[in-house]
Amino acid sequence: MKLLLVEDSERLRETVRRGLEAEGFTVDTAVDGIEGRSFLETYEYDLMVLDLMLPRMDGLALLRVMPSAAVQPRVLVLSARDQVQDRVTALDSGADDYLVKPFAFDELLARLHALARRPKLAHAPELEIGPLRIDLRAHRVCVGANTLSLTPREFALLVLLARHRGRVFSRSEILERVAGSDSRASDRSIEVLVFGLRRKLASAIGDDLIQTRRGAGYLIP
């Protein structure tokens, strides 16, 4: 499995590189977005681990100008930015997953393995589920000519479940991915978030798109 690691911290870059190589990955490293883009233009990768706060060209800019190809690497953003809008923006820009620093290496490894199991497809600017169209770049959800009014967290939750259709996400996973470091967030707030999103989707498409797995979590089948 070939992986590109784009990280400007030499200490973290080398620690992650050694850890991934010990797990059987072939790892190239880049120190900024310009070098990362050069690697992407020259070689093919299965996965990319990408920091956002990079010199010369930041991670978001690299995501947006990734070389065109029929098949692109799955991208895991690894960043100290932990706000909801940071996650939404990264996902909108083409990232497949988002992990906040500091992190446990075992979790990084597990997420990379999960991304590696997904079929490699070209990144699409939109996701479609029945009549629902999710525009990842414009941060907009439409049904026909009508645009749904979603909060940033509702949009982040919908994108999370839509990108991983069939996978059950527990409340704690949703809390970590959608709420970030917000100390006011709780399991109860996730219930309220899911309820609100369900109500808006049901009103727009007449269907309960999000399903509950009792004792496990939520998914879009």
Side-chain angles (χ1 to χ4, degrees), residues 24-221:
F25 288 87
T26 299
V27 182
D28 287 336
T29 61
V31 300
D32 57 45
I34 297 294
E35 188 176 19
R37 183 178 184 181
S38 177
F39 272 105
L40 290 168
E41 290 172 340
T42 307
Y43 306 105
E44 291 186 358
Y45 296 93
D46 301 292
L47 298 166
M48 178 165 67
V49 176
L50 177 66
D51 186 17
L52 292 184
M53 293 181 285
L54 297 167
R56 297 209 294 170
M57 176 188 288
D58 66 25
L60 289 177
L62 177 57
L63 279 172
R64 291 165 179 158
V65 299
M66 281 178 65
S68 299
V71 177
Q72 295 186 350
R74 295 294 187 187
V75 180
L76 171 65
V77 166
L78 191 62
S79 177
R81 297 179 180 175
D82 60 1
Q83 298 303 304
V84 172
Q85 191 56 51
D86 296 322
R87 298 163 188 259
V88 170
T89 301
L91 292 172
D92 286 353
S93 300
D96 298 282
D97 201 355
Y98 196 110
L99 183 60
V100 174
K101 301 176 183 177
F103 60 94
F105 179 77
D106 285 348
E107 182 178 3
L108 170 65
L109 189 61
R111 292 196 183 199
L112 289 174
H113 283 314
L115 289 178
R117 289 193 295 268
R118 294 168 57 186
K120 295 198 299 182
L121 302 171
H123 287 295
E126 292 187 352
L127 298 171
E128 291 188 6
I129 305 176
L132 200 68
R133 190 173 74 256
I134 307 169
D135 188 327
L136 301 174
R137 292 175 179 168
H139 192 183
R140 183 171 58 237
V141 180
C142 298
V143 177
N146 298 320
T147 300
L148 276 66
S149 178
L150 301 183
T151 68
R153 284 187 177 177
E154 287 171 342
F155 183 81
L157 174 58
L158 179 59
V159 170
L160 175 66
L161 297 179
R163 280 187 180 275
H164 303 276
R165 291 188 68 175
R167 175 181 167 183
V168 177
F169 283 87
S170 68
R171 289 180 188 141
S172 61
E173 286 179 303
I174 294 173
L175 187 65
E176 191 273 332
R177 296 197 182 203
V178 174
S181 63
D182 186 349
S183 61
R184 299 167 297 175
S186 64
D187 279 5
R188 175 58 181 163
S189 66
I190 295 303
E191 290 181 11
V192 172
L193 176 65
V194 172
F195 176 81
L197 178 58
R198 267 179 165 158
R199 183 176 58 185
K200 291 179 181 180
L201 293 176
S203 176
I205 65 177
D207 188 22
D208 191 2
L209 190 64
I210 301 173
Q211 295 186 5
T212 301
R213 293 289 185 268
R214 190 171 299 278
Y218 307 97
L219 78 158
I220 293 178

